[in-house]
């Protein structure tokens, strides 16, 4: 993006974009803005400074990375980040998907202080209701839905775990029909209106295909609906940890491990087949890099345990699951991004209605 030099806060920066989209986006393919939200912790600014060329524009930081374009040439990719709330940063860019994949995604892949913001499936339904209630003539041109029993009943084969993608001018009607018939709810939606074209999905990515004030107003309104739950998730993830506390029994000084565990409650009973599919899905994903070792499993009711490693960050934790929940026990370097991204993997590939909470605190013997 071509941004005039100046000092901006986040909303002032967005105004520069929608007041002059032609000059800001000149030369960019597609003429659209993509927004990504990141949960953050102390040190994230230093992390950007270490890995990117940065420039301060008041409350906005411009950071520039490199990627290889379709012609095989190295090219600069520009991104801008500003604080939406404490511990929640918004990144804005007009770069291509390839530039984002190569230059932006690594922002969080190896960081212990930045993680993509997930949107819980239930919150996503609230966001959809807000958009449709605000615009009677809003069209849904495309959507992706998946089965979430706690959010929708199914008339046809309710025990089948299904996922549906649809494109068509009657998407708004089809979305409701599929929900009633198959119990699926949206996880990605493309909205179309005379002045608005915007795509949202549960990974926390927002694509503004019409760059105007109305699109930005929708973006900020939707974020205001989910930010509380997202920051509560961050708080839970930060409390799941392995620490050593020094105690002094008598004249001795010893270090005693303390473990605060987490738990993911499933929305519906999970089977062994689904757990095995989840493990395979995380291995084959382009966006995740979790490995599972010491896997034990038993047929019948789910009885499953494994050691999980975040290969990007070196985080290590144990999981043990029944058909109702999965317990997470941290072991080594268990930073919040690893836990948030593992939870994101669960709601994307295992159970869209799952909720993560703090399990307990205990002193290990």
């Amino acid at each position: 993006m071509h941004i005039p030099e100046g000092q901006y806060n986040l909303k002032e920066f967005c105004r520069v974009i929608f007041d002059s989209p032609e000059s800001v986006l000149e030369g960019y393919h597609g003429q659209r803005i993509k927004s990504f939200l990141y949960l953050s912790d102390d040190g994230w600014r230093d992390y950007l400074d270490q890995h990117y060329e940065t420039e301060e524009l008041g409350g906005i930081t411009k950071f520039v990375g490199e990627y290889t374009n379709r012609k095989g040439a190295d090219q600069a990719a520009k991104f801008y980040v500003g604080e939406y709330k404490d511990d929640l940063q918004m990144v804005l860019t007009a770069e291509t998907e390839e530039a984002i994949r190569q230059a932006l995604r690594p922002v969080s892949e190896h960081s212990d202080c930045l993680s993509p913001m997930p949107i819980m499936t239930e919150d996503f339904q609230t966001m959809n209701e807000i958009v449709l209630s605000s615009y009677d003539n809003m069209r849904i041109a495309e959507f992706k839905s998946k089965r979430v029993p706690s959010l929708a009943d199914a008339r046809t084969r309710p025990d089948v775990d299904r996922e549906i993608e649809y494109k068509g001018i009657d998407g708004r009607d089809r979305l409701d029909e599929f929900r009633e018939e198959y119990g699926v709810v949206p996880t990605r939606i493309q909205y179309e209106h005379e002045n608005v074209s915007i795509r949202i999905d549960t990974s926390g990515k927002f694509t503004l295909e019409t760059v105007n004030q109305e699109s930005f107003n929708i973006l900020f309104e939707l974020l205001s609906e989910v930010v509380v739950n997202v920051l509560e998730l961050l708080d839970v993830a930060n409390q799941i940890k392995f620490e050593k506390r020094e105690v002094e029994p008598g004249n001795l000084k010893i270090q005693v491990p303390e473990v605060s565990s987490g738990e993911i409650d499933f929305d519906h009973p999970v089977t062994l087949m689904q757990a095995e599919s989840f493990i395979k899905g995380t291995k084959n994903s382009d966006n995740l890099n979790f490995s599972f070792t010491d896997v034990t499993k038993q047929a019948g009711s789910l009885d499953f345990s494994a050691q999980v490693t975040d290969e990007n960050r070196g985080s290590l934790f144990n999981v043990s699951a029944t058909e109702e929940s999965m317990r997470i026990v941290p072991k080594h370097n268990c930073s919040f991004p690893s836990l948030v991204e593992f939870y994101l993997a669960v709601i994307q590939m295992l159970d869209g209605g799952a909720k993560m909470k703090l399990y307990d605190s205990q002193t290990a013997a």
Side-chain angles (χ1 to χ4, degrees), residues 88-326:
L88 185 57
Q89 315 304 320
M90 177 184 287
V91 173
L92 294 159
T93 187
E95 298 292 344
T96 65
E97 291 300 320
E98 187 59 28
I100 290 168
R101 185 185 69 81
Q102 293 184 41
L104 177 62
R105 194 171 294 168
V107 165
S108 62
E109 282 184 346
H110 300 278
S111 171
D112 288 330
C113 50
L114 283 168
S115 174
M117 181 199 81
I119 299 174
M120 274 68 86
T121 311
E122 188 172 0
D123 287 339
F124 194 80
Q125 312 317 304
T126 301
M127 292 166 66
N128 180 45
E129 291 167 6
I130 290 171
V131 174
L132 297 184
S133 64
S134 300
Y135 297 87
D136 291 336
N137 297 322
M138 180 68 78
R139 299 183 302 278
I140 294 178
E142 176 186 344
F143 65 85
K144 180 179 180 179
S145 291
K146 67 186 301 180
R147 181 80 174 102
V148 182
S150 67
L151 299 180
D153 295 326
R155 287 200 296 256
T156 300
R157 295 182 292 280
D159 56 331
V160 174
D161 185 21
R162 67 177 84 240
E163 191 170 88
I164 297 173
E165 293 192 51
Y166 186 84
K167 291 183 180 181
I169 59 174
D170 60 345
R172 185 165 178 168
D173 293 331
R174 289 299 185 190
L175 187 146
D176 291 336
E177 291 170 2
F178 289 158
R179 180 187 181 112
E180 293 174 5
E181 189 67 28
Y182 300 111
V184 293
V185 298
T187 58
R188 184 184 72 222
I189 302 179
Q190 171 80 38
Y191 298 106
E192 301 284 352
H193 192 265
E194 58 184 30
N195 296 317
V196 173
S197 179
I198 183 171
R199 179 193 296 256
I200 63 176
D201 66 53
T202 52
S203 69
K205 177 184 177 183
F206 299 79
T207 303
L208 311 185
E209 299 192 353
T210 48
V211 183
N212 55 31
Q213 184 171 0
E214 197 167 4
S215 294
F216 275 93
N217 286 344
I218 292 174
L219 169 63
F220 279 91
E221 182 180 5
L222 295 181
L223 287 176
S224 69
E225 292 297 321
V226 302
V227 65
V228 172
N229 288 341
V230 168
L231 292 178
E232 285 179 355
L233 173 65
L234 174 63
D235 184 58
V236 169
N238 274 324
Q239 293 183 68
I240 300 172
K241 54 189 174 182
F242 178 95
E243 294 182 319
K244 290 187 177 181
R245 178 173 58 90
E246 190 174 272
V247 297
E248 299 184 16
N251 295 324
L252 298 175
K253 286 187 178 181
I254 59 175
Q255 289 189 329
V256 179
E258 288 190 341
V259 178
S260 295
S261 303
E263 185 174 48
I264 298 176
D265 289 334
F266 297 137
D267 169 59
H268 60 86
V270 171
T271 66
L272 179 59
M273 183 177 296
Q274 289 173 319
E276 291 174 336
S277 177
F278 169 68
I279 293 175
K280 179 184 286 187
T282 58
K283 289 179 179 178
N284 296 336
S285 171
D286 292 333
N287 301 326
L288 300 167
N289 197 10
F290 292 106
S291 63
F292 292 76
T293 55
D294 299 331
V295 178
T296 62
K297 51 193 177 182
Q298 183 175 325
S301 296
L302 179 61
D303 183 4
F304 165 85
S305 65
Q307 179 173 278
V308 182
T309 303
D310 181 340
E311 299 291 351
N312 289 329
R313 300 182 180 88
S315 298
L316 190 67
F317 52 94
N318 289 337
V319 298
S320 57
T322 66
E323 61 183 13
E324 297 177 347
S325 64
M326 177 185 293

Side-chain angles (χ1 to χ4, degrees), residues 11-62:
K11 289 199 172 181
E12 291 169 343
F13 183 79
C14 292
R15 178 171 291 279
V16 168
I17 296 173
F18 65 69
D19 277 351
S20 305
E22 294 84 5
S23 60
V24 169
L25 299 175
E26 183 180 357
Y28 281 88
H29 177 72
Q31 302 282 297
R32 60 176 65 95
I33 295 293
K34 296 154 190 172
S35 172
F36 301 83
L37 279 296
Y38 287 87
L39 296 168
S40 63
D41 202 354
D42 294 342
W44 71 269
R45 292 183 186 277
D46 292 337
Y47 182 82
L48 284 187
D49 290 339
Q50 292 168 11
H51 293 82
Y52 295 87
E53 177 186 333
T54 61
E55 179 184 353
E56 299 302 323
L57 305 173
I60 299 294
T61 300
K62 174 184 176 181

Side-chain angles (χ1 to χ4, degrees), residues 66-76 98 102:
E66 284 193 354
Y67 75 103
T68 304
N69 64 25
R70 291 181 298 174
K71 297 180 180 179
D74 291 338
Q75 188 169 332
E98 187 59 28
Q102 293 184 41

